[in-house]
Amino acid sequence: MTEFLTRHRQSRGLLAFALGTLLTVAACGVLVSHSRLFSQKRDTAVMIGTTLPELKSSVALLAANVEAEQLFTENALRSREELADAYVLPASSPGPRLADTASDIARALTDHAKSRVSVTRLTFDAAVDKSGVKATPAHLTLTGNFQAVSRFLGILGFSGDMMVKDVIPPDVQADVLARVERVSPASLKAAEDFLYLDLLSYAAEPDARESRFFKDMPADAIGDIHATMLASGLADVRTAFEYAAASMKDAKAWPMPLTRIDGFRRDGDVWTIDLTVFGR
Amino acid sequence: MQPKTASEYAGASVDPVLVPALSRLGPPVLIFGAVFLALSFGLTMLVSPDRFPVRVGDRVVRLSDLEAEEKALKVQQADLLKTRENLKTEEKAPILHQVSVLAAGVVPVGRTLLLVDRVRASFKNASTDPISLPRVELTSDGTLVLGGEVRDLGGRSVQLLSSFIDGLRGVPTVSSVSEPEYLSVEQPDGSSVSPFTVTLTLSHD
C-alpha cells in the first residue's frame, strides 16, 4: 500500500515536472517569436518610410493630372469636339476648308517670312470610304524655295493637332510633370494648363506662354525642362508657325482638316504634293 | 525486509535517485513554467512594436501611423485612377478619339523637312549658302530623296558634304541616311562643287 502511494506520488511529481518543462519551453517560444515580430515590424516601418515619399509624389501628380482632365472635360472638351467635327474630321467635304487654309498659310508665310510660297493648284480625287472614315486623295502644287515649302509642309504636318499636349509625346509629358512636381509642386497646375493650351495661341506668342508656365519655378530648374519640351516638338511648332501663327489666328485658319502627306516631288521651284485629306 | 545487496543497487541504476528527485522538483517546475508563460504573454501584450516609434529618415514615427498613412494614400490613388478612367474621352468625344487614332503612325514628313532645312541653313553664313537642294522627292514607300550640291569657295566641298550628312543623321525623325558618293569637281575660280543624292528613311511617330 505504501509502495503504491509512493509510486502514485512520484508519478504526479514527474507529470508536473514534464508539464512545467513544456510550459517553460512554450514561454521561451513566445518570447523568441515576439522578438522576431519586433524585428519584422521595424523592417516594415523602414520599408514603408522609404517608399512613402515616392507614393506621395505619385499621388500628387495623379491628382493634378485628374484635376486638369476634369477641368478640360467640363469646360473645353465639348468645344474641342465641335471644332473637330467642323474642321478636323468634318462630315462635309474637307476640300473647301483645306483650300482656304492652304491659301492662308501661303499668304502668311509670304507676307511675313523672307521667302515666297504660293498655292498654284489644288485638286481632289474621289473619296474612298474605309470603316466610316473618308480618305480623299488631293494633289497640291506649290511654288517656292526649299525653306518656304518646308515651313508650309511643316505647318501641314500639325494638321489635326489642336492643343500643345497633342504635339508632345505622352511619355515626355509624364516626365515633365514628374520633374515639375519634384522641383516646384506649386507649378503643377500651370504645367497642366500649358499642356491643354490651344496650339495656335501658343505658336502666336510662345515666349509669353512659356513664361506663364515657368513663372513660379526655380531658375535653375527651368532650363532642363524647357529644353526637353522644345526637343520633343515645341521647337518645330515655333519654327513652322514662326511667321504664320498671328495671321492664321486672325484669319481663323486653324484647326485644319487632318491631312497626310503621301508624297511630293520638286522640280525647280515647283513642288507637286500628293495628300490624303480625312473626313467622315 | 532484507537490505538490498550492492549488485541489486547497481542493477536498479539511477531510478531510486533520479526519479524521486524529479518528482520532488515537479511542482516548483510546474509553477515556474506557468508563471513564466503567463509573464511572457503579458510582456507580448504590453511591449507591442506599435507602441514604440521608429526612426525613418529624419523623422520618428509610430508604425501604426506609417501604415495608416500608406493605406490612405493607396486608397486615394485608387480613387484617382478610377476617376481618370471615367474621364476617358472615347465615349464623350468620339471624333477627337478618331482623330488621335488616325494621326498615330503618320510619318512626320513636314517635321522632317523643317529639320532638314534647319541642318541645311546651319551651314549658311553672311555671304554664302553652300548647300542647295533642287531635287526633293518623297516616294510612296516613305523615303525622302534629296538631290543637290555643296559649293565651297575654299575647295572643301567634300568636308562640308560629310558634315551635312552627319547633320542629317542627327535628325530624330530619320532612321537612316544612305551614304552618298563623295565627288569634288574643281571649278576654274578655285572653288569646288560636290553634287550628291541621299536617301533618308523616315521613322514613324
Side-chain angles (χ1 to χ4, degrees), chain B residues 94-113:
Chain B
I95 300 175
L96 278 175
H97 175 67
Q98 209 171 11
V99 170
S100 68
V101 168
L102 286 169
V106 169
V107 176
V109 176
R111 186 176 173 208
T112 305
L113 273 185

Side-chain angles (χ1 to χ4, degrees), chain A residues 29 51 67 70 86 109 147 151 154-155 157 210:
Chain A
T51 59
E67 188 188 341
Q70 274 176 323
L109 287 173
Q147 184 183 46
R151 285 183 195 273
I155 293 175
E210 286 166 5

